[in-house]
């Protein structure tokens, strides 16, 4: 944890300093085991960075530019944390929202949403539902196509002009949380910063190529420390059209500027594939 909150204000922009885990320099191919991080082959280096409060930025982040945006979206939050059946109408509501926001011709939602819960100190952490404490991209460009086949409905039988993948992240526990999600402005990420590795799942045996991120002082990090239940953070994981943001590395981090005594973090993350047709 960063030893102090180090809250800063610059021309109305508010930020905090926090320690986040980048990929260390290594010749070994990174490998993550999602149900058991103790098996990871992932040398990490902690780096202190400035993370801006996205709500205080003079120009709010946009999906097509920075690759992420905080959007209004009301839902029955209390149902989502413990009721699997509630996640299906939730995903349909997200689908409708993305159709409107992106202008895509079709939006497909991944089959499952993931609820992540912070664990009290000392409690076992062998669980794919933990906040992920290192910087990553869910899939590499090569891994996109396997993810589309594995996690989504069959691709449309149409000529496709563009495909983009998004994550949709919502805080279910009362905010603010001391373990929020930070996203990196896609424009500040060089292609060489992202290193291909393997994301593996013990229970299903599935593996696909994902991305892990080397430190770069040019990276611009943003979070939303006061997210409400009627908001969702949408961020890019891939875009076939290079006129738009490609992908946003992201990570959970400890926010020392959070007021004391926060509720343990509970969040839900959903994934979507957007298609634009050529005909």
């Amino acid at each position: 944890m960063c030893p102090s909150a180090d809250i800063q204000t610059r021309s109305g922009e508010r930020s905090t300093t926090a320690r986040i885990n980048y990929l260390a320099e290594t010749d070994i191919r990174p490998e993550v085991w999602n149900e058991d991080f103790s098996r990871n082959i992932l040398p990490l280096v902690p780096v202190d960075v400035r993370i801006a409060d996205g709500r205080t930025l003079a120009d709010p982040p946009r999906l097509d530019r920075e690759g992420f945006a905080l959007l209004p979206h009301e839902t029955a939050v209390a149902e989502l944390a413990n009721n699997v059946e509630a996640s299906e109408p939730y995903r349909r509501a997200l689908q409708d929202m993305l159709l409107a926001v992106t202008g895509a011709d079709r939006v497909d939602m991944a089959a499952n949403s993931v609820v992540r819960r912070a664990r009290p100190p000392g409690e076992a952490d062998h669980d794919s539902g933990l906040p992920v404490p290192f910087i990553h991209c869910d899939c590499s460009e090569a891994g996109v196509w396997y993810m589309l086949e594995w996690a989504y409905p069959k691709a449309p039988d149409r000529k496709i002009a563009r495909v983009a993948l998004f994550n949709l992240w919502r805080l279910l526990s009362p905010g603010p949380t001391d373990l929020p999600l930070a996203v990196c402005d896609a424009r500040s990420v060089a292609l060489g910063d992202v290193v291909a590795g393997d994301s593996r799942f013990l229970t299903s045996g599935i593996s696909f190529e994902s991305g892990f991120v080397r430190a770069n002082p040019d990276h611009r990090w943003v979070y939303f420390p006061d997210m409400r239940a009627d908001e969702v953070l949408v961020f890019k994981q891939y875009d076939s059209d290079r006129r738009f943001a490609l992908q946003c590395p992201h990570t959970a981090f400890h926010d020392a500027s959070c007021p004391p005594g926060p509720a343990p973090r509970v969040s839900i993350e959903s994934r979507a594939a957007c298609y634009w047709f050529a005909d």
Side-chain angles (χ1 to χ4, degrees):
M1 180 180 295
C2 188
S4 65
D6 191 18
I7 302 171
Q8 308 166 24
T9 302
R10 299 182 181 180
S11 302
E13 176 185 313
R14 189 176 172 87
S15 65
T16 187
T17 298
R19 187 161 295 164
I20 58 177
N21 293 311
Y22 278 98
L23 178 68
E25 291 297 329
T26 179
D27 294 328
I28 300 171
R29 182 178 174 88
E31 185 174 299
V32 164
W33 292 84
N34 288 277
E35 291 97 336
D36 185 356
F37 287 162
S38 70
R39 298 180 58 168
N40 290 356
I41 303 173
L42 188 69
L44 298 171
V45 56
V47 177
D48 289 346
V49 301
R50 189 173 71 89
I51 307 179
D53 178 345
R55 212 183 292 273
T56 68
L57 298 177
D59 192 5
R62 303 200 317 247
L63 287 179
D64 59 351
R65 189 179 59 191
E66 290 88 348
F68 63 91
L70 184 68
L71 302 176
H73 185 254
E74 294 191 18
T75 192
V77 172
E79 298 289 328
L80 293 172
N82 301 302
N83 186 350
V84 175
E85 294 178 356
S87 64
E88 182 56 34
Y90 174 62
R91 284 193 295 275
R92 288 198 299 268
L94 293 176
Q95 183 179 37
D96 291 341
M97 180 194 71
L98 277 180
L99 281 167
V101 167
T102 65
D105 295 305
R106 171 170 156 173
V107 174
D108 288 344
M109 301 301 297
N112 297 301
S113 296
V114 178
V115 174
R116 299 190 184 277
R117 303 173 188 272
R119 296 288 188 268
E123 187 171 318
D125 62 357
H126 301 301
D127 187 347
S128 60
L130 285 172
V132 180
F134 48 83
I135 303 160
H136 64 287
C137 302
D138 285 11
C139 55
S140 68
E141 188 162 4
V144 164
W145 311 109
Y146 183 83
M147 181 173 281
L148 284 170
E149 292 179 4
W150 163 58
Y152 293 89
K154 187 177 184 298
D157 189 18
R158 299 274 300 271
K159 186 176 181 181
I160 297 171
R162 176 189 174 198
V163 58
L165 271 62
F166 293 92
N167 284 16
L168 303 101
W169 190 90
R170 184 189 299 270
L171 185 65
L172 299 181
S173 52
T177 175
D178 62 349
L179 197 63
L181 185 74
V183 290
C184 191
D185 184 336
R187 301 171 301 174
S188 69
V189 181
L191 289 177
D193 295 342
V194 182
V195 177
D198 297 309
S199 182
R200 303 188 185 280
F201 293 83
L202 285 166
T203 53
S204 64
I206 290 171
S207 175
F208 58 86
E209 190 173 272
S210 56
F212 305 94
V213 183
R214 296 189 184 104
N216 182 334
D218 292 335
H219 290 166
R220 292 188 292 273
W221 288 95
V222 177
Y223 80 129
F224 296 89
D226 56 350
M227 277 186 69
R228 303 187 303 267
D230 61 351
E231 297 174 315
V232 63
L233 176 60
V234 183
F235 56 98
K236 185 80 65 69
Q237 282 305 300
Y238 171 76
D239 202 318
S240 64
D241 191 333
R242 292 301 187 266
R243 294 176 300 171
F244 304 102
L246 174 60
Q247 62 183 176
C248 294
H250 52 286
T251 181
F253 74 98
H254 286 282
D255 181 12
S257 70
C258 179
R265 173 185 141 180
V266 182
S267 60
I268 186 168
E269 188 170 321
S270 305
R271 294 176 174 84
C274 298
Y275 298 94
W276 291 258
F277 300 142
D279 50 11

